[in-house]
Each structure stands twice: as C-alpha cells, then as structure tokens.
Amino acid sequence: MNMVQTLLVVILASFLQVSMGGVYKVGGGAGWTTIGNVDYKQWAAANTFEIGDVVVFEYNPQFHNVMQVTHAMYKSCNASSPIATYTTGNDSITIKSGGHHFFLCGVPGHCQSGQKVDINVVRASAPSQSPLPTVAVPAPSPGGAAALYAAFGKSVFAAFICIIFA
C-alpha cells in the first residue's frame, strides 16, 4: 500500500468512526420483561446515549410489546395513543434526536410493575476533536494525488477524497 492509499484509508476510517452509533440492549441481559424485577431506570442511567445510537428491545411478543409515548403517558402508564408501537420481539430503534425518549409495555399492568424506560440523549454525537493522524506524503510529482495534496493542503485534499468516494 503506498502513502496515498494509506492516507485514504486513514481519512475514511476517521469518518466511519464518527458516524457509527452504539447499540444498547434495553435491560441488558434480562431484556424487556417483567420477570426478575429489572430496574430500567437504573439501566438507562448507567448508559450514555447519543444521536445515532440504537436501542434494541428483546422480548417474547406473546407477552409484551413496546410503545413509544409522551412524557405524560409515560408517567401515568397510559398506552391509549402511543407515538409508535413495536411488536416483533426484537425491535431496533435508532435514536434520531436529543432529549427524552419514553417507552413502555402496553400490556395491562406491565408498565405499572416497572416495564418502562426513559432513554435520555444528553448530548448530540459530535465529530472527534482530535486531529487526523499525520501521514508522511512523498514529494509532489508532476501529477496525481500527491500534487493535489501539496498544492491545496490536507483539508481540501480530504474533501476531494470524500467527494470521490461519495
């Protein structure tokens, strides 16, 4: 692999690292259930959620569901008009905005027994603050990527590479 190819790999890897969110199984090993007294408030507090993260609800669909609800509905365990309902037993929900995201089980009595969770996105996912690693580039040649890099600098070169691979 030559230096230009190495630089391309480093640039692409840095962009991928920024864009990938975490995946969280709600309730950890217990999943989404009323068995075992899972403390979903404690589980949520132990995790830091960002925009782009995925929360996965795993449960037996014969006995449970997942409903996304408003804060008022969450507090009162009201499942009468949810924002969204999930029933597959393996529901992956991507967090697309900051703030609180409220979920509960709509089966009568389950929310009241603690099967509800508040996913709070406290900060948006931001690009890494660390600079790109320095990569030695050979002296400019009459043409090619090295000449582009030498003529315009790292920022313009990175933007050019992103356009090429877009």
Side-chain angles (χ1 to χ4, degrees):
M1 184 180 285
N2 68 34
M3 293 304 245
V4 173
Q5 289 172 325
T6 302
L7 181 61
L8 293 176
V9 169
V10 169
I11 291 169
L12 291 174
S14 68
F15 285 113
L16 288 174
Q17 180 181 1
V18 170
S19 66
M20 303 212 30
V23 177
Y24 298 89
K25 180 180 174 185
V26 177
W32 189 239
T33 183
T34 53
I35 300 170
N37 297 324
V38 179
D39 187 340
Y40 293 104
K41 185 175 184 175
Q42 181 180 359
W43 174 84
N47 292 291
T48 303
F49 302 100
E50 297 181 0
I51 294 172
D53 286 349
V54 176
V55 290
V56 179
F57 290 85
E58 290 183 7
Y59 56 93
N60 184 332
Q62 293 178 343
F63 302 109
H64 305 287
N65 60 34
V66 178
M67 295 186 168
Q68 185 170 5
V69 296
T70 65
H71 183 236
M73 294 173 73
Y74 174 85
K75 284 175 54 175
S76 64
C77 288
N78 177 352
S80 63
S81 56
I83 296 167
T85 302
Y86 305 90
T87 59
T88 70
N90 190 13
D91 306 314
S92 295
I93 302 167
T94 302
I95 303 299
K96 296 179 181 173
S97 63
H100 294 269
H101 302 267
F102 302 100
F103 301 92
L104 55 80
C105 181
V107 174
H110 289 199
C111 178
Q112 291 83 348
S113 67
Q115 196 175 6
K116 63 182 186 175
V117 65
D118 172 3
I119 305 292
N120 186 14
V121 178
V122 294
R123 59 187 168 86
S125 179
S128 171
Q129 298 300 319
S130 61
L132 290 174
T134 302
V135 177
V137 176
S141 59
L148 179 67
Y149 182 89
F152 297 105
K154 186 174 14 179
S155 297
V156 172
F157 182 73
F160 175 75
I161 297 304
C162 291
I163 292 168
I164 289 172
F165 285 98

